[in-house]
Structure formats: C-alpha cells, structure tokens
Amino acid sequence: MNSLRTVLRKYQILLKTYPVSTQAIQSGLLMGVGDTIAQICIEKKPLEEFNVKRLFNYSLVGLVYVGPSLRIWYGGLDKMFPSSGRKLQYKKVLVDQGIFAPAFIASILTILMGINGEKPEAIKEKLKQDYKDILITNYKIWPAVMIVNFSFVPVNYQVLVTQTVAVLWNIYFAWKANQPVIKIE
C-alpha cells in the first residue's frame, strides 16, 4: 500500500511538472496495452505471429500524437469553457464529440496506416470502409465517459481517465484499424 502511494505521489509530481510528456508516455503505454490485447485475445494470434512492429507503431502514435493532442485539447476546452456547471459540461462534450472526435479518429487511422507503410489509395479505401463504423462506435461510448470526465475530473487527470477507458477502445480500434482493406467499387 505504501509503495502504491509513493508511485501515485511521483506520478502527480511528474504530471504537475511535465503534463504533456507524462500524458504522452501514459497514452503510448496504454495504447500499446490495447494493441497487445487486440492481437492476443481478439485476433487470437499465437505468440510467434505477434506483430511487434504494429505494437511499436501503435504505441508510438499514442506517445507522439494521441497523448499530447488530448492534453492540449482538454486544456483548450478548459480555457474555452472555464467555469463549471452541467450545461457547460454538455457544451464541452458537444464540442469534443462534434468537432474534435471525427477529425481525431480520421487522423489516427490515417497516421497508423501511413506508418505501417500503406499507400494513400489504401488509406482512402480504409477510411471509406471503416471510418463510419468507428465513429458510430465512438458515439456509443465516449459521450457518457466525457460527461463524467469533464464534470468531475480535474483537467490534469482527464487524459489519464480517457486513456484508461481507452484501453478497451484501443482494443477495438487496433483490431478495426488492422482489418484488411476491401476495395469498394
């Protein structure tokens, strides 16, 4: 119990001192956990077929893009809507899910495919094939999470809450992002 308190205290210090870097690292780690679970439990890959490059790339996107983007976005939302109150939290969720989420999902899918060596035509087909399904699934999960997150969680911990819930989301997203592209005529 004492060691858990020590870890939490150190995490809080890192979060206060290096908020973007700390949240970038945690996002990279948690996205990696999601991809690992997707490969082993959902795709049922034997260990010898486990795609380490895919895991690395997925974690890298979390580290370099997702974590910093979420931290900056949530900080910006907090400045845009500085006071609290239920109405304001719903406005935050509406802006987050209506503007940010659609663009963010498309960008993550595009980046993942790009660093995995896919050609622009394949990326375009993948977006045509899966973007709508991913966005609809997003709307089944994230608005409720974000209402709680924006209503009760201080901005410094919002990325942690999001990325913790996102372990499940990342399992789904990693699986969906790595399904073969079927050319749609």
Side-chain angles (χ1 to χ4, degrees):
M1 194 65 160
N2 215 8
S3 58
L4 181 61
R5 274 195 210 115
T6 303
V7 169
L8 287 174
R9 207 171 313 117
K10 287 182 181 182
Y11 172 76
Q12 289 173 329
I13 291 167
L14 286 171
L15 195 56
K16 196 172 195 164
T17 311
Y18 310 102
V20 176
S21 300
T22 301
Q23 291 173 339
I25 291 167
Q26 84 190 9
S27 294
L29 290 170
L30 291 171
M31 283 186 71
V33 167
D35 184 63
T36 300
I37 294 169
Q39 288 193 55
I40 293 171
C41 299
I42 306 299
E43 299 166 32
K44 307 239 185 273
K45 286 187 176 183
L47 270 156
E48 56 276 356
E49 290 179 27
F50 186 86
N51 189 333
V52 175
K53 182 181 179 212
R54 174 181 141 180
L55 168 64
F56 176 79
N57 288 344
Y58 205 72
S59 298
L60 183 65
V61 169
L63 174 72
V64 175
Y65 182 65
V66 173
S69 296
L70 290 176
R71 176 61 179 108
I72 291 164
W73 173 248
Y74 294 157
L77 271 179
D78 203 48
K79 286 181 179 142
M80 224 184 304
F81 304 102
S83 55
S84 59
R86 190 169 303 260
K87 238 182 190 176
L88 216 49
Q89 304 319 323
Y90 289 126
K91 284 182 184 177
K92 276 186 183 180
V93 172
L94 188 62
V95 170
D96 180 64
Q97 292 298 302
I99 297 170
F100 183 73
F104 196 55
I105 288 168
S107 67
I108 294 170
L109 198 53
T110 301
I111 291 167
L112 281 170
M113 292 192 70
I115 65 172
N116 284 325
E118 296 293 340
K119 293 188 165 74
E121 302 81 36
I123 295 170
K124 186 177 174 182
E125 286 300 321
K126 183 68 168 174
L127 287 168
K128 226 190 275 187
Q129 176 183 313
D130 290 332
Y131 175 75
K132 184 179 175 185
D133 288 341
I134 294 170
L135 190 61
I136 289 168
T137 303
N138 168 81
Y139 289 140
K140 292 177 182 176
I141 298 167
W142 289 108
V145 171
M146 298 318 290
I147 287 169
V148 171
N149 204 18
F150 293 147
S151 297
F152 302 108
V153 180
V155 72
N156 268 357
Y157 296 99
Q158 287 175 355
V159 174
L160 177 61
V161 169
T162 302
Q163 285 305 132
T164 301
V165 174
V167 169
L168 296 174
W169 172 255
N170 289 329
I171 294 167
Y172 165 76
F173 199 89
W175 167 75
K176 196 73 170 168
N178 287 284
Q179 294 295 301
V181 176
I182 300 166
K183 187 159 175 122
I184 301 169
E185 296 299 324

PDB file of all heavy atoms in Angstrom, residues 89-103:
ATOM      1  N   GLN A  89     -20.691  21.600 -19.116  1.00  0.00           N
ATOM      2  CA  GLN A  89     -20.068  20.296 -19.357  1.00  0.00           C
ATOM      3  C   GLN A  89     -20.655  19.661 -20.619  1.00  0.00           C
ATOM      4  O   GLN A  89     -19.946  19.048 -21.411  1.00  0.00           O
ATOM      5  CB  GLN A  89     -20.250  19.370 -18.154  1.00  0.00           C
ATOM      6  CG  GLN A  89     -19.732  19.906 -16.836  1.00  0.00           C
ATOM      7  CD  GLN A  89     -18.396  20.626 -16.920  1.00  0.00           C
ATOM      8  OE1 GLN A  89     -17.514  20.258 -17.671  1.00  0.00           O
ATOM      9  NE2 GLN A  89     -18.251  21.691 -16.135  1.00  0.00           N
ATOM     10  N   TYR A  90     -21.965  19.831 -20.816  1.00  0.00           N
ATOM     11  CA  TYR A  90     -22.594  19.300 -22.027  1.00  0.00           C
ATOM     12  C   TYR A  90     -22.084  20.020 -23.274  1.00  0.00           C
ATOM     13  O   TYR A  90     -21.928  19.420 -24.327  1.00  0.00           O
ATOM     14  CB  TYR A  90     -24.122  19.371 -21.937  1.00  0.00           C
ATOM     15  CG  TYR A  90     -24.705  18.383 -20.960  1.00  0.00           C
ATOM     16  CD1 TYR A  90     -25.548  18.795 -19.943  1.00  0.00           C
ATOM     17  CD2 TYR A  90     -24.406  17.019 -21.053  1.00  0.00           C
ATOM     18  CE1 TYR A  90     -26.081  17.881 -19.037  1.00  0.00           C
ATOM     19  CE2 TYR A  90     -24.932  16.102 -20.156  1.00  0.00           C
ATOM     20  CZ  TYR A  90     -25.764  16.532 -19.156  1.00  0.00           C
ATOM     21  OH  TYR A  90     -26.288  15.633 -18.267  1.00  0.00           O
ATOM     22  N   LYS A  91     -21.836  21.325 -23.151  1.00  0.00           N
ATOM     23  CA  LYS A  91     -21.265  22.073 -24.281  1.00  0.00           C
ATOM     24  C   LYS A  91     -19.872  21.536 -24.612  1.00  0.00           C
ATOM     25  O   LYS A  91     -19.518  21.389 -25.777  1.00  0.00           O
ATOM     26  CB  LYS A  91     -21.192  23.567 -23.964  1.00  0.00           C
ATOM     27  CG  LYS A  91     -22.526  24.267 -24.058  1.00  0.00           C
ATOM     28  CD  LYS A  91     -22.371  25.749 -23.772  1.00  0.00           C
ATOM     29  CE  LYS A  91     -23.724  26.445 -23.771  1.00  0.00           C
ATOM     30  NZ  LYS A  91     -23.610  27.861 -23.438  1.00  0.00           N
ATOM     31  N   LYS A  92     -19.084  21.260 -23.567  1.00  0.00           N
ATOM     32  CA  LYS A  92     -17.740  20.692 -23.784  1.00  0.00           C
ATOM     33  C   LYS A  92     -17.833  19.356 -24.519  1.00  0.00           C
ATOM     34  O   LYS A  92     -17.095  19.111 -25.465  1.00  0.00           O
ATOM     35  CB  LYS A  92     -17.016  20.456 -22.445  1.00  0.00           C
ATOM     36  CG  LYS A  92     -16.327  21.638 -21.879  1.00  0.00           C
ATOM     37  CD  LYS A  92     -15.552  21.200 -20.634  1.00  0.00           C
ATOM     38  CE  LYS A  92     -14.881  22.348 -19.968  1.00  0.00           C
ATOM     39  NZ  LYS A  92     -14.135  21.938 -18.770  1.00  0.00           N
ATOM     40  N   VAL A  93     -18.745  18.521 -24.080  1.00  0.00           N
ATOM     41  CA  VAL A  93     -18.916  17.211 -24.714  1.00  0.00           C
ATOM     42  C   VAL A  93     -19.373  17.388 -26.156  1.00  0.00           C
ATOM     43  O   VAL A  93     -18.874  16.695 -27.060  1.00  0.00           O
ATOM     44  CB  VAL A  93     -19.903  16.318 -23.925  1.00  0.00           C
ATOM     45  CG1 VAL A  93     -20.217  15.043 -24.688  1.00  0.00           C
ATOM     46  CG2 VAL A  93     -19.344  15.991 -22.549  1.00  0.00           C
ATOM     47  N   LEU A  94     -20.284  18.314 -26.385  1.00  0.00           N
ATOM     48  CA  LEU A  94     -20.773  18.562 -27.740  1.00  0.00           C
ATOM     49  C   LEU A  94     -19.638  19.017 -28.654  1.00  0.00           C
ATOM     50  O   LEU A  94     -19.490  18.513 -29.776  1.00  0.00           O
ATOM     51  CB  LEU A  94     -21.897  19.607 -27.701  1.00  0.00           C
ATOM     52  CG  LEU A  94     -22.644  19.834 -29.004  1.00  0.00           C
ATOM     53  CD1 LEU A  94     -23.343  18.540 -29.447  1.00  0.00           C
ATOM     54  CD2 LEU A  94     -23.664  20.940 -28.837  1.00  0.00           C
ATOM     55  N   VAL A  95     -18.810  19.934 -28.194  1.00  0.00           N
ATOM     56  CA  VAL A  95     -17.672  20.405 -28.991  1.00  0.00           C
ATOM     57  C   VAL A  95     -16.656  19.278 -29.167  1.00  0.00           C
ATOM     58  O   VAL A  95     -16.154  19.049 -30.272  1.00  0.00           O
ATOM     59  CB  VAL A  95     -17.020  21.646 -28.332  1.00  0.00           C
ATOM     60  CG1 VAL A  95     -15.708  22.010 -28.998  1.00  0.00           C
ATOM     61  CG2 VAL A  95     -17.980  22.834 -28.366  1.00  0.00           C
ATOM     62  N   ASP A  96     -16.384  18.554 -28.092  1.00  0.00           N
ATOM     63  CA  ASP A  96     -15.420  17.453 -28.151  1.00  0.00           C
ATOM     64  C   ASP A  96     -15.866  16.375 -29.134  1.00  0.00           C
ATOM     65  O   ASP A  96     -15.103  15.954 -29.999  1.00  0.00           O
ATOM     66  CB  ASP A  96     -15.246  16.848 -26.747  1.00  0.00           C
ATOM     67  CG  ASP A  96     -14.262  15.697 -26.731  1.00  0.00           C
ATOM     68  OD1 ASP A  96     -13.076  15.923 -27.023  1.00  0.00           O
ATOM     69  OD2 ASP A  96     -14.693  14.567 -26.434  1.00  0.00           O
ATOM     70  N   GLN A  97     -17.106  15.956 -29.015  1.00  0.00           N
ATOM     71  CA  GLN A  97     -17.597  14.850 -29.838  1.00  0.00           C
ATOM     72  C   GLN A  97     -18.066  15.302 -31.220  1.00  0.00           C
ATOM     73  O   GLN A  97     -18.049  14.519 -32.163  1.00  0.00           O
ATOM     74  CB  GLN A  97     -18.726  14.114 -29.113  1.00  0.00           C
ATOM     75  CG  GLN A  97     -18.260  13.365 -27.891  1.00  0.00           C
ATOM     76  CD  GLN A  97     -17.264  12.283 -28.258  1.00  0.00           C
ATOM     77  OE1 GLN A  97     -17.546  11.394 -29.049  1.00  0.00           O
ATOM     78  NE2 GLN A  97     -16.069  12.356 -27.681  1.00  0.00           N
ATOM     79  N   GLY A  98     -18.466  16.556 -31.349  1.00  0.00           N
ATOM     80  CA  GLY A  98     -18.954  17.045 -32.632  1.00  0.00           C
ATOM     81  C   GLY A  98     -17.866  17.560 -33.555  1.00  0.00           C
ATOM     82  O   GLY A  98     -17.974  17.462 -34.773  1.00  0.00           O
ATOM     83  N   ILE A  99     -16.803  18.102 -32.983  1.00  0.00           N
ATOM     84  CA  ILE A  99     -15.733  18.685 -33.798  1.00  0.00           C
ATOM     85  C   ILE A  99     -14.445  17.867 -33.700  1.00  0.00           C
ATOM     86  O   ILE A  99     -13.882  17.443 -34.705  1.00  0.00           O
ATOM     87  CB  ILE A  99     -15.471  20.150 -33.374  1.00  0.00           C
ATOM     88  CG1 ILE A  99     -16.715  20.997 -33.641  1.00  0.00           C
ATOM     89  CG2 ILE A  99     -14.250  20.717 -34.091  1.00  0.00           C
ATOM     90  CD1 ILE A  99     -16.667  22.390 -33.055  1.00  0.00           C
ATOM     91  N   PHE A 100     -13.984  17.655 -32.476  1.00  0.00           N
ATOM     92  CA  PHE A 100     -12.682  17.015 -32.283  1.00  0.00           C
ATOM     93  C   PHE A 100     -12.689  15.533 -32.640  1.00  0.00           C
ATOM     94  O   PHE A 100     -11.834  15.066 -33.397  1.00  0.00           O
ATOM     95  CB  PHE A 100     -12.231  17.211 -30.832  1.00  0.00           C
ATOM     96  CG  PHE A 100     -10.876  16.651 -30.530  1.00  0.00           C
ATOM     97  CD1 PHE A 100      -9.739  17.282 -30.993  1.00  0.00           C
ATOM     98  CD2 PHE A 100     -10.724  15.494 -29.769  1.00  0.00           C
ATOM     99  CE1 PHE A 100      -8.475  16.782 -30.713  1.00  0.00           C
ATOM    100  CE2 PHE A 100      -9.479  14.980 -29.487  1.00  0.00           C
ATOM    101  CZ  PHE A 100      -8.348  15.627 -29.956  1.00  0.00           C
ATOM    102  N   ALA A 101     -13.633  14.771 -32.111  1.00  0.00           N
ATOM    103  CA  ALA A 101     -13.626  13.310 -32.285  1.00  0.00           C
ATOM    104  C   ALA A 101     -13.628  12.871 -33.754  1.00  0.00           C
ATOM    105  O   ALA A 101     -12.820  12.015 -34.128  1.00  0.00           O
ATOM    106  CB  ALA A 101     -14.786  12.668 -31.523  1.00  0.00           C
ATOM    107  N   PRO A 102     -14.497  13.421 -34.602  1.00  0.00           N
ATOM    108  CA  PRO A 102     -14.479  12.963 -36.001  1.00  0.00           C
ATOM    109  C   PRO A 102     -13.129  13.175 -36.688  1.00  0.00           C
ATOM    110  O   PRO A 102     -12.624  12.284 -37.379  1.00  0.00           O
ATOM    111  CB  PRO A 102     -15.573  13.807 -36.670  1.00  0.00           C
ATOM    112  CG  PRO A 102     -16.493  14.178 -35.555  1.00  0.00           C
ATOM    113  CD  PRO A 102     -15.601  14.362 -34.359  1.00  0.00           C
ATOM    114  N   ALA A 103     -12.536  14.348 -36.477  1.00  0.00           N
ATOM    115  CA  ALA A 103     -11.242  14.639 -37.098  1.00  0.00           C
ATOM    116  C   ALA A 103     -10.126  13.800 -36.467  1.00  0.00           C
ATOM    117  O   ALA A 103      -9.234  13.294 -37.160  1.00  0.00           O
ATOM    118  CB  ALA A 103     -10.921  16.126 -36.964  1.00  0.00           C
TER     119      ALA A 103
END
